[in-house]
Amino acid sequence: MRRWRALRTFRRHHDGSPEQLRAFRDARVRKVVAHAHAHVPFYRRLLDEAGVAPDDVRGAEDLARLPVVTKDQLRRTPWDERLAERAAGGDLRELRTSGTAGEPFFLARTPRELQILGMLVLRSMREQGLRRKDLLVQLLNLGSVSYT
């Protein structure tokens, strides 16, 4: 049931007016930045070092104020500093990229995050005309992420 509610939320915001979409986007940007600063040690330190307070980011236009994060920085940062404090002890799935562009990159997702990512893929397929009873044949690897 939660899955379909989340999918309806995605569709509602997708079909909104430009003003509604901007308001939704900016509210989500504020929420993500505030959450990262409050709960993820890596991002808290990064923002503090850059002199950016969560209240400085009011929407998408302010994203340029955020420091750029490189994959190398993330690789050098211990797991527990990259995870939200509430997620660190929770049910996480370890994922890794294939490493075709260099060394593999490891990350973690909660089951809920994986469910939401799956719904986004379904929404994209629906936008392209796929319907519930259609047969889908996957000929290519649609993602270079392995789940362990």
Side-chain angles (χ1 to χ4, degrees), residues 51-71:
V52 178
D55 290 341
D56 296 338
V57 181
R58 295 174 307 279
E61 284 77 27
D62 295 322
L63 288 174
R65 301 182 70 180
L66 299 178
V68 174
V69 178
T70 67
K71 197 179 278 190

Side-chain angles (χ1 to χ4, degrees), residues 25 34 36 39 48 60 101 109:
R25 177 199 63 197
H39 300 288
D48 289 347
R109 295 274 188 235

Side-chain angles (χ1 to χ4, degrees), residues 11-142:
R11 293 198 67 207
R12 181 178 65 241
H13 291 294
H14 181 266
D15 296 335
S17 70
E19 294 79 22
Q20 290 171 320
L21 293 175
R22 275 192 291 279
F24 175 72
R25 177 199 63 197
D26 290 344
R28 295 302 295 178
V29 166
R30 288 190 301 274
K31 185 175 180 175
V32 167
V33 171
H35 179 273
H37 188 270
H39 300 288
V40 184
F42 172 76
Y43 289 107
R44 182 182 314 118
R45 185 176 60 251
L46 197 69
L47 290 170
D48 289 347
E49 288 172 359
V52 178
D55 290 341
D56 296 338
V57 181
R58 295 174 307 279
E61 284 77 27
D62 295 322
L63 288 174
R65 301 182 70 180
L66 299 178
V68 174
V69 178
T70 67
K71 197 179 278 190
D72 190 51
Q73 281 177 292
L74 293 170
R75 277 193 181 103
R76 291 190 320 255
T77 303
W79 271 107
D80 59 335
E81 290 182 32
R82 290 191 305 166
L83 296 174
E85 292 156 352
R86 292 180 293 192
D91 184 19
L92 296 174
R93 304 291 189 270
E94 185 179 308
L95 296 83
R96 70 175 177 81
T97 62
S98 64
T100 54
E103 68 180 271
F105 183 72
F106 292 87
L107 58 147
R109 295 274 188 235
T110 65
R112 180 73 176 140
E113 286 176 301
L114 294 173
Q115 185 181 44
I116 289 170
L117 290 170
M119 286 187 291
L120 290 170
V121 168
L122 287 175
R123 182 181 77 174
S124 173
M125 289 183 198
R126 184 177 172 83
E127 295 288 323
Q128 296 173 48
L130 187 71
R131 294 297 172 250
R132 194 176 201 164
K133 295 190 180 203
D134 290 347
L135 179 64
L136 176 67
V137 178
Q138 182 177 330
L139 300 174
L140 302 171
N141 180 5
L142 297 176

